[in-house]
Amino acid sequence: MAPPANGGGGGGAVQEQPAAAAGQPQQQRQQGGIGQMLTGVIRIAVFWYFASKFFSPNKPISSDPSVPNFQISNLFHKGEPLDMWFYLSEQEKFNDFGNEGALIWHETNIPYAVWGPESTRTLSLKYQPSEAVKNNGSLYAHVFFARSGYSPDPNDPEYQPLTAFGRTYPIVTYLPKSKADKKKSLLRNSEDSKEDVTISEFPQAVQEAQDDIKEDGPPEWISYWKPNVTINLVDDFTRYTANAIPPIVAPYMNIESTTGNYYPTVFFNEFWLLRDKLIAMNDTVTEVPLHLEVGPISMTKWQLFLQMDQSFQIHRSYGSMLDGESDELKRVFLEGNPYLLGLTMIVSVMHSLFDFLAFKNDIQFWNKNKSMEGLSAKSVVVNFFCQLIVFLYLLDNDTSWMILASSGVGCCIEFWKIGKAMHIEIDRSGKIPMLRFRDRESYAGNKTKEYDDLAMKYLSYVLFFLAVCFAIYSLMYDRHKSWYSWILSSLTSCVYMFGFVMMCPQLFINYKLKSVAHLPWRQMTYKFLNTIIDDLFAFVIKMPMLHRLSVFRDDVIFLIYLYQRWVYPVDKKRVNEFGFAAEDVDQAASSSDPPAQKEDEKKTN
C-alpha cells in the first residue's frame, strides 16, 4: 500500500555517550562480474565530473544582481564558527523551536569547512518511536545552522536571515516490501507427504499462500528506520554564474533571495547507508538506535558521491544492475582492505584482458581448424550443453540482461564450435525436421574417436553418479521454487563443481596419441593465466575454505597439460591449429629445389 499521511504524536530519545555507529559486518556475498561493474561505474562518474567542470556554458559575466548571469558566492567564510540544532518531528515543516522535547542534539562553535577534531562531532542515542511512526508514520530531522551567538528561530527578536540556514531530512523512508521467498521443500509439499504435515506447519502454509496472492497484486510499501544520519557541510566557496550552475550542484543550492548569494550546502550523506542496515518499523519495535555525525566534506568528494549515485541509477534503468548490487559494490569498499581492494582492481583488469585474448584465439583456432585429429569432439558437445544449462539457470533466476547476454553469446559460440567439430545436417524425412550430427572424416578415420569414446564412457559413469547424488541431496535438504528449478539448479551445481573434469578426455587422448601438437596452446595459455588470477582472488576475497580449495582444481588439469607438452616430443606428422603439418612444409621446400628433385628421381629409378 502507499505510504500514509503524516500522523501526530511524538517519540522520546535516551542520550548516550558519543560513539561510532555499531554494527556487525556481514559476510560478503560473491557476485559475478563485479570487476566490470566497478569499472563501468567509475568510468561514468569520472566522465561526468570532468564534463561538468570543463564543458559548462560560457556566458558574459555581470555584477548587476538584476541580470540573470551575475556571479554568486558563499555567504559564510572559511573557519567561521557555527552552532547547530538537530530536531526530530513528525511534521515536514518545523517552527516549534521552543519545544525542548524535539531538540535531540545541540552543538556550538563548529568551524565551517575546516578539517580537524573540533570540526567533526558525533552522538549515539536510543529513540523510542511513537505509535504513528510504528504504523507507517513519517519522521523528519530538521537541522539548523547559525553563526555562533545567533538564533535560527525566525520569531526571535534578534533573528537575522543572513546568519541562519537549515534543511529537512526524512529519518523514515518507504521502500517496497521484500518479496516472499517462493522456494519450498518439494518433498514436504508433495502429495505423498501431505499426511505428515503437522498442525504447527499449517499456519505457515497458509501464510505462504497468502504471500503468493499478495505478490500478484501491487507491491506493498513499508517504512524503514535510518539508523545513521551523516550531516556534511560542503567546502564550497566557488563563485558561480547564476545561470550556469552545474546541473549536479544546482538541486542542493540554497539561494538567499535578496542578495542572490548562497548559504553553505548541507548534504545528508546516505552513500554508505546500505539497505540491509535499515530497520523495518512495526508494532513490535519499541526502541531504535540513532547515530548522528556532523562534519565537513570536500567539493570533489561530494561530487564524486553524487556522480556515483547517478551512475548506479543509470545502470539500474538500463537493466545492467539489479537492486542491491550497488550495495554489494559499496560493501567491498567498506569491509575490504584498501590494499587488497587495489590489488583486486588490477587483477580484474588483467582477468578481463586475458578473457578477451582467450576468446579471440579460441575463435581463430576453430575458424581455421581443418582437422579433428587428436581433438575430443564429444567434449565440445558436452561444453555446449553445460553452457546451455548455465544460461537456463540464469534465465530462471533474476539476473541482469548484461550477464544473460554474455551467457547467451557464449552458448551460441559453443554451438558454432559443434559445427566446426562435426557435420550438422537437417533431416526432413519425418514430419518434424531434426538436426543430425555426423562425425568428420578426420575424426572418425583414426584412433581419436576410439580414444574419445573410451574416455567419455568411463567419465560419464563418474559424472552420472555425482550428479544423481547431488540432486538427491539438494532435493532432500534444499528449497526450490519448482521441480524445474530443482533440475536446473542441480545440473548447474554439477557444472560448476565437476565441469573441470570435462577436460579429462582430452588428457586421455593426448596420452594415447603421445602428442599435444593438435591443441590450441595460445588459448590455453591465456586460460591458464586466468586460472592463476582466480587463485589470487581465492586469497583476496573472503570465502569458505572448501570453496577456496575448489578454485585450485583447474590448476591440476593445466599442470598435467604442461607436463604432457614437456614429455611428448614434437610430431611433425600432426597438423597444427591452422591445418598444416611440418612434413608438408618440408615437402613444399624440397619440391621447389629442381636439382634435388632430379637426384631423388634417379635414386628411385
Side-chain angles (χ1 to χ4, degrees), residues 261-274:
N261 294 321
Y262 61 92
Y263 293 101
T265 302
V266 181
F267 174 61
F268 290 93
N269 194 348
E270 291 185 348
F271 188 82
W272 302 113
L273 183 60
L274 308 183

Side-chain angles (χ1 to χ4, degrees), residues 480-495:
H480 306 277
K481 293 187 294 184
S482 62
W483 290 97
Y484 173 73
S485 298
W486 165 67
I487 295 175
L488 277 183
S489 62
S490 300
L491 292 177
T492 305
S493 299
C494 290
V495 169

Side-chain angles (χ1 to χ4, degrees), residues 270-283:
E270 291 185 348
F271 188 82
W272 302 113
L273 183 60
L274 308 183
R275 176 162 181 173
D276 59 358
K277 302 297 182 181
L278 302 179
I279 302 174
M281 300 299 293
N282 50 52
D283 293 333

